[in-house]
Amino acid sequence: MRRILCILALVAWTINSTTIMAQEKIKQTAGRDQLGEFAPQFAALNDDVLFGEVWSRTDKLGLRDRSLVTITSLISQGITDSSLTYHLQTARQNGITRTEIAEIITHIGFYAGWPKAWAAFRLAKEVWAEDTAGDDARAAFQREMIFPIGEPNTAYARYFIGNSYLAPISREQVVVSNVTFEPGCRNNWHIHRAKNGGGQMLIGVAGRGWYQEEGKPAVEILPGTVIHIPANVKHWHGAAADSWFAHLAFEIPGEETANEWLEPVSDEAYNQLDK
């Protein structure tokens, strides 16, 4: 129990504290690679000052925002050569999604000119060619929380309606996993069986979800919400219909523990939750 309380204190601090951005050193060699012998001073300014100092001040302005400022500046000037392609690729790496870049360039088009937006879109389509709308939504949700979304929860997919993802957080002392649900996804009714002890505890991490015990009203789960699930109680949990959702799941130690999976949560019952 003491170990669980320590973990809870750490999780609560993580969720509620303000994130302090650490300065990240950006390494760039393009200047020296392409102009090192011809223009060594320019190469040094590009690699060591522009990227090594300005771009590296991530404690002042994050990489994602710096990418946004940079591509806006380049497109506004009508620069749609390899430098824009590079910065579009960097923007994608820094977390700007396909949906977001389409909206960004559309917005720029009204202020910088429609032909410039058209030219930028031709490059952006190539950079984000492999992304899908689903990837965009998942990437956007990942930015809302510090814990990873993880991999598709294929091992338990038959017990879920919709897609879920599982990321092991700890397998020592107390088993903790981050479980992520796409909008509308929920697990089947189930019971955590135990002779003594056992049960489960949930802590909302991001998004909005639901928890319900049999015979009781559903309870909304938001970031920081703590749900205590006694052993041998029938229940289910999952995302709201209009929101991605993630919670940490703590397995409470006990004797002769086992999960008993039961029937799915019907669409009729689930669709009544937000009414």
Side-chain angles (χ1 to χ4, degrees), residues 205-224:
V205 171
R208 187 170 71 92
W210 295 102
Y211 166 77
Q212 185 174 25
E213 294 182 8
E214 185 178 39
K216 297 183 179 180
V219 176
E220 186 178 45
I221 306 178
L222 298 173

Side-chain angles (χ1 to χ4, degrees), residues 64 71 88 91-105 124 127-128 131-143:
R64 186 175 187 276
I71 59 179
L88 289 171
R92 181 173 178 267
Q93 294 169 4
N94 289 338
I96 293 179
T97 68
R98 186 188 67 168
T99 300
E100 289 172 329
I101 194 61
E103 188 66 18
I104 289 166
I105 297 175
V127 172
W128 277 269
D131 289 13
T132 66
D135 292 333
D136 275 3
R138 187 165 62 249
F141 185 69
Q142 177 65 85
R143 292 198 298 273

Side-chain angles (χ1 to χ4, degrees), residues 21 23 57-62 66:
M21 298 176 62
Q23 186 165 341
R57 293 203 294 265
T58 52
D59 56 332
K60 307 298 183 183
L61 186 67
R66 290 185 184 275

Side-chain angles (χ1 to χ4, degrees), residues 99-154:
T99 300
E100 289 172 329
I101 194 61
E103 188 66 18
I104 289 166
I105 297 175
T106 300
H107 191 88
I108 292 171
F110 279 95
Y111 290 90
W114 219 240
K116 294 176 182 177
W118 268 108
F121 269 125
R122 284 194 290 271
L123 299 180
K125 282 184 65 178
E126 296 178 2
V127 172
W128 277 269
E130 297 180 359
D131 289 13
T132 66
D135 292 333
D136 275 3
R138 187 165 62 249
F141 185 69
Q142 177 65 85
R143 292 198 298 273
E144 296 183 26
M145 62 177 175
I146 63 170
F147 298 106
I149 286 178
E151 299 299 323
N153 190 12
T154 54

